Amino acid sequence: VSHGIDVLGSRQGSWLLRRARIPHRFGVRGYAGGDGWCEGCVAFREDRRVSETALAFLPLLGTERDVEARPRLFLTDSEKTTAEEHWGERERDELRIVIAPGAGFPEKCWGDDNFTELILLLLEHTPHRFALIGSQEDDNRVSLPDGPNSRILKLCGATSLRESAALVSRADFVITNTTVTMHFAGAFRIPSLTLLGPWHESANLHARQWGYPEGTVLGREVSEGRSSILSPKAAFEAFRKQIVRRNETLR
């Protein structure tokens, strides 16, 4: 290996590249150190999307290609067909809504009870169909009424990452914690609502660093005196407003 990139910008990352005897090392200056061991660096900017920071390495590698700061996922026809079969035939005025209630650690989560209350509001006040996706441990996060419900697909633990991405690609809207599902939505330009847990102090900053133009990120804004996470009712109203904007865009 001749070239190595420490995308995060840390002493540990740069040390690992150096220890591996990679001669051409690139890092991030102004974040967590390690740039002194690199021959070239990009500058850390808190207000820049992380993906844009990663793309800033291209000139250092000798190319000036213009690449959109968005994930690219290439699904097979079979994966798309299977996702359509999961969703089933679309009814009149019905939207397909993916909901991903899981996250990496509890403080990052909007909350199981919050997701439960939001889904109940959606079931009561909208005609839409919902697919719950995530890992097997996410299967019991949401407490729904007993008995079958044709409007809810319970797929936590039942789909791979690629299958989950395919479900998002055939959806109309995504509601999620800040997880890979948020980036699936970004990859396919699906409108999304990302609900942050108490670990995040600024939803605005999180949106600038990780968000997408068609998505909304909501949560605490401590510097402006909003120290509580969003309530389920407020999340439902935010969803309704985004659906109105989506429909106006499609006209």
Side-chain angles (χ1 to χ4, degrees):
V1 178
S2 61
H3 293 69
I5 300 175
D6 174 25
V7 178
L8 175 64
S10 66
R11 286 186 293 273
Q12 295 90 334
S14 294
W15 177 86
L16 180 62
L17 297 179
R18 188 168 184 249
R19 188 73 175 83
R21 298 183 179 179
I22 296 174
H24 302 289
R25 301 182 294 272
F26 302 90
V28 178
R29 180 171 291 112
Y31 182 63
D35 51 279
W37 289 334
C38 298
E39 69 175 68
C41 294
V42 301
F44 172 72
R45 282 175 41 193
E46 188 179 59
D47 63 346
R48 180 165 62 176
R49 277 197 286 173
V50 174
S51 53
E52 292 174 346
T53 298
L55 291 171
F57 284 100
L58 288 175
L60 298 181
L61 299 174
T63 181
E64 296 290 339
R65 288 187 61 187
D66 186 17
V67 181
E68 186 180 11
R70 182 188 296 272
R72 299 180 69 189
L73 300 175
F74 301 96
L75 300 172
T76 66
D77 290 340
S78 175
E79 288 169 331
K80 296 174 186 176
T81 298
T82 300
E84 279 291 340
E85 291 172 350
H86 274 305
W87 280 115
E89 187 175 350
R90 190 192 296 267
E91 300 293 335
R92 180 181 174 86
D93 298 327
E94 176 187 88
L95 297 180
R96 297 167 170 179
I97 313 295
V98 166
I99 298 178
F105 52 90
E107 293 81 9
K108 193 176 179 181
C109 294
W110 186 49
D112 298 349
D113 291 342
N114 288 331
F115 270 106
T116 295
E117 187 173 341
L118 176 59
I119 292 173
L120 292 177
L121 287 169
L122 291 166
L123 286 171
E124 181 180 356
H125 298 289
T126 78
H128 307 319
R129 184 175 298 182
F130 308 94
L132 304 183
I133 65 172
S135 65
Q136 186 63 56
E137 65 185 29
D138 297 328
D139 189 40
N140 295 319
R141 289 187 180 277
V142 176
S143 300
L144 297 174
D146 293 334
N149 190 322
S150 61
R151 293 171 57 197
I152 300 177
L153 300 172
K154 297 180 180 180
L155 298 174
C156 291
T159 56
S160 67
L161 275 176
R162 287 188 63 86
E163 290 167 338
S164 295
L167 283 163
V168 170
S169 76
R170 314 309 284 181
D172 300 299
F173 198 87
V174 169
I175 301 175
T176 179
N177 285 307
T178 174
T179 64
V180 68
T181 306
M182 171 186 177
H183 302 295
F184 287 161
F188 299 110
R189 292 177 168 80
I190 306 298
S192 63
L193 176 59
T194 299
L195 300 165
L196 302 181
W199 192 73
H200 301 278
E201 294 188 354
S202 173
N204 292 334
L205 177 61
H206 194 78
R208 289 198 299 271
Q209 292 178 335
W210 297 99
Y212 300 93
E214 58 281 333
T216 297
V217 179
L218 296 177
R220 302 201 302 156
E221 209 61 57
V222 174
S223 65
E224 298 178 7
R226 301 199 305 271
S227 58
S228 298
I229 63 174
L230 211 66
S231 70
K233 289 183 179 179
F236 178 70
E237 289 303 319
F239 163 80
R240 291 212 294 194
K241 290 178 181 178
Q242 277 189 269
I243 292 300
V244 169
R245 289 199 299 270
R246 171 193 175 275
N247 293 341
E248 290 175 346
T249 301
L250 294 176
R251 286 174 184 169

